[in-house]
């Protein structure tokens, strides 16, 4: 009788361990699916903010995790910034170098955009000059301003 009880206990223990491992595998799979979904939100095309005479236009082409395109700021009664971006898309966030012309001078600064089902929102944070360009001090701690949502335009 003791042998049967020990055998049943071992069988229950082995089944519980297999269920625990399967649950971990399922959770890991779900986590990777979530990352894929977040990254899939960013699409090739045009994103635009247009309100009160202010315009932000972002046109991107995505190739794997690399992104390039054009970014233009046209603020009402201020100088325009017209330029090009090259960056990396990771977990639905684009971190890119923005090379632009403003007031007749060419500059480079980092920009960040977080993509969601509603469009893209620009990230802001402390910056410092590094190697001739303005870069975020802590790119992982940016604030995203929901007042300026760039909506995805259907083409």
């Amino acid at each position: 009788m003791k042998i049967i009880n020990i055998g049943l206990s071992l069988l229950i223990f082995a089944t519980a361990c297999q269920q625990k491992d399967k649950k971990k595998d399922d959770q890991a799979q779900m986590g990777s699916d979530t990352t894929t979904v977040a990254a899939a939100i960013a699409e090739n095309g045009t994103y635009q903010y247009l309100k009160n005479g202010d315009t932000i236009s972002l046109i991107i082409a995505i190739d794997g995790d690399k992104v390039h395109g054009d970014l233009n700021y046209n603020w009402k009664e201020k100088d325009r910034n017209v330029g090009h971006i090259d960056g990396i898309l990771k977990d639905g966030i684009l971190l890119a170098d923005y090379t632009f012309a403003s007031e007749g001078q060419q500059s480079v600064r980092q920009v960040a955009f977080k993509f969601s089902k509603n469009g893209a929102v620009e990230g802001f944070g402390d910056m410092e000059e590094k190697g001739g360009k303005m870069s975020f001090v802590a790119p992982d701690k940016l604030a995203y301003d929901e007042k300026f949502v760039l909506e995805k335009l259907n083409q």
Side-chain angles (χ1 to χ4, degrees), residues 35-70:
T35 302
T36 303
V37 170
I41 292 172
E43 299 176 348
N44 291 326
T46 302
Y47 294 81
Q48 189 174 61
Y49 170 83
L50 183 60
K51 198 178 254 182
N52 301 325
D54 295 329
T55 304
I56 304 171
S57 177
L58 173 65
I59 303 168
I60 59 171
I62 303 169
D63 182 14
D65 66 346
K66 294 184 178 18
V67 178
H68 24 257
D70 296 314

Side-chain angles (χ1 to χ4, degrees), residues 38-141:
I41 292 172
E43 299 176 348
N44 291 326
T46 302
Y47 294 81
Q48 189 174 61
Y49 170 83
L50 183 60
K51 198 178 254 182
N52 301 325
D54 295 329
T55 304
I56 304 171
S57 177
L58 173 65
I59 303 168
I60 59 171
I62 303 169
D63 182 14
D65 66 346
K66 294 184 178 18
V67 178
H68 24 257
D70 296 314
L71 177 60
N72 301 313
Y73 295 90
N74 191 7
W75 300 110
K76 185 178 180 182
E77 300 179 16
K78 292 187 180 178
D79 289 326
R80 285 179 63 157
N81 290 353
V82 177
H84 184 79
I85 62 164
D86 287 299
I88 301 292
L89 181 65
K90 183 177 179 187
D91 296 330
I93 296 178
L94 169 63
L95 187 61
D97 286 343
Y98 174 46
T99 305
F100 64 100
S102 180
E103 299 179 10
Q105 185 171 349
Q106 186 167 331
S107 302
V108 180
R109 72 174 170 93
Q110 253 184 345
V111 293
F113 288 92
K114 181 167 141 181
F115 291 87
S116 70
K117 63 182 179 184
N118 298 329
V121 179
E122 187 167 5
F124 297 93
D126 292 336
M127 300 189 92
E128 64 186 357
E129 186 173 348
K130 290 182 187 174
K133 76 174 182 180
M134 295 300 290
S135 298
F136 291 115
V137 173
D140 56 333
K141 295 182 181 170

